Amino acid sequence: NVFSYSHFVAAAVGSFPVVPTISIMSTMYTLGAGKRAPHYFSLFLFSLFYLTDFELVAYIPKMVFSSLIVVGFLDMVWTWCIQSWYKIKEKIEWILVPVIVLCAFLVGLLNAVFLGIGLSTFIFVAALLRSGVVKYLSSGLVIRSTIERTMVAQNWLDAHGDKIQ
C-alpha cells in the first residue's frame, strides 16, 4: 500500500515507478524509504527535473549515475545469487538458473527456455514424489517461507502467525 500511490503518480507522469523497488531495495530501505515520504520526494524531484528540461541534472557528475547502476547490480547479485543460495534447500533448483543463462548465451534463448522447462519439470516431479500428502501440521509462528519481507510484515507474522495453518 505504501508504494501504490507513489507508483501510480510516477507512472502517470511517465517515470519508472518500480526502479527503487527492483534495483537498490536494501539501500533504499536502509535510508528509510519504506515510508511514503521518500517516494513522494523522488516524484517531486523527478517532476522538478522534468519541468526544468533536466538542466539541473547537468550539474551532477555522470559518475554518480554510473555508481547507482553499479550499486543496483551489486545489490541484485547479493540478493538474488548469494543470499538465495543460503535460503534454498534444494541446491539443484538454484543451479538451474545459471545453467539456463549460460545455455541462453551459448545456444540461444529459445533453446534455453525449453531446457529450463524440461529441467524444472524433472525437478518438480522428483520433489513431488519425495513429499507426502500432508507434510506439516503447523502454524505461521513455526514455519516461515524464504521470501524477503519488510520489517512491518515480519512483525505482523510474529504477532499473528498462529492464525496461519
Side-chain angles (χ1 to χ4, degrees):
N1 192 17
V2 172
F3 296 115
S4 61
Y5 299 119
S6 62
H7 282 191
F8 175 76
V9 175
V13 297
S15 179
F16 298 101
V18 295
V19 171
T21 60
I22 290 176
S23 63
I24 51 174
M25 181 179 287
S26 63
T27 305
M28 296 296 284
Y29 276 112
T30 303
L31 294 174
K35 309 282 188 250
R36 291 182 184 183
H39 293 278
Y40 288 123
F41 179 70
S42 67
L43 175 66
F44 168 75
L45 203 57
F46 177 78
S47 301
L48 178 69
F49 289 155
Y50 184 76
L51 294 174
T52 60
D53 206 20
F54 292 97
E55 290 176 6
L56 298 174
V57 179
Y59 296 107
I60 300 172
K62 291 181 182 171
M63 187 178 71
V64 172
F65 296 113
S66 302
S67 300
L68 287 175
I69 293 172
V70 171
V71 167
F73 166 76
L74 293 174
D75 186 43
M76 289 179 74
V77 167
W78 177 256
T79 302
W80 296 106
C81 294
I82 311 287
Q83 287 182 337
S84 65
W85 173 262
Y86 295 108
K87 288 182 179 182
I88 196 164
K89 293 178 184 175
E90 296 291 330
K91 302 300 184 197
I92 190 99
E93 293 178 12
W94 186 91
I95 293 171
L96 181 63
V97 174
V99 167
I100 292 171
V101 171
L102 185 65
C103 183
F105 284 122
L106 295 177
V107 296
L109 185 61
L110 188 60
N111 293 334
V113 168
F114 287 136
L115 176 72
I117 290 171
L119 292 176
S120 297
T121 302
F122 283 121
I123 291 171
F124 172 73
V125 169
L128 187 64
L129 290 175
R130 282 194 304 260
S131 66
V133 177
V134 176
K135 194 160 186 169
Y136 298 110
L137 293 174
S138 190
S139 69
L141 288 175
V142 179
I143 297 176
R144 297 275 176 93
S145 67
T146 57
I147 192 169
E148 286 189 24
R149 292 186 176 87
T150 62
M151 195 56 97
V152 175
Q154 290 176 9
N155 291 337
W156 187 90
L157 278 175
D158 290 338
H160 304 289
D162 57 339
K163 297 176 185 173
I164 302 171
Q165 293 293 320

